[in-house]
Amino acid sequence: MNMRCGFCQNPYAIGRTEILAALQQMEEENLTHYDAHCPRCRRATPILRQKLEMALPNWKEELK
C-alpha cells in the first residue's frame, strides 16, 4: 500500500505483513485507525481501518 507522509510529503510503502499486523492489533484493541510512521521524519500518519481492509479484504483468512 503506497502512502504519502502528511508532514514531509515523502512517499513510502506499507507491506502486507505490516498491514496484517496492524489489522490484527486494531481488532484486538478495537481501534479505528493505525499510525503508520514515516521512515524519513518518523511522524505518524493515521490510516483508517476501512482503507487497510480494502487493501487486504480477506485478512482474517490470511492470519490462519
Side-chain angles (χ1 to χ4, degrees):
M1 175 180 212
N2 294 325
M3 298 288 305
R4 182 174 295 274
C5 179
F7 300 98
C8 69
Q9 303 303 316
N10 182 45
Y12 61 98
I14 297 174
R16 285 179 84 83
T17 55
E18 186 175 355
I19 293 173
L20 276 173
L23 285 167
Q24 185 177 17
Q25 177 187 5
M26 287 191 300
E27 180 74 21
E28 290 172 358
E29 298 175 11
N30 199 19
L31 301 174
T32 59
H33 71 278
Y34 171 70
D35 291 330
H37 294 277
C38 174
R40 182 174 170 197
C41 69
R42 303 288 183 210
R43 293 183 119 180
T45 303
I47 305 171
L48 291 176
R49 183 179 188 151
Q50 291 83 8
K51 282 194 173 188
L52 291 175
E53 287 177 347
M54 285 174 50
L56 214 59
N58 297 328
W59 66 274
K60 288 185 180 181
E61 293 174 5
E62 289 191 31
L63 280 176
K64 297 176 183 179

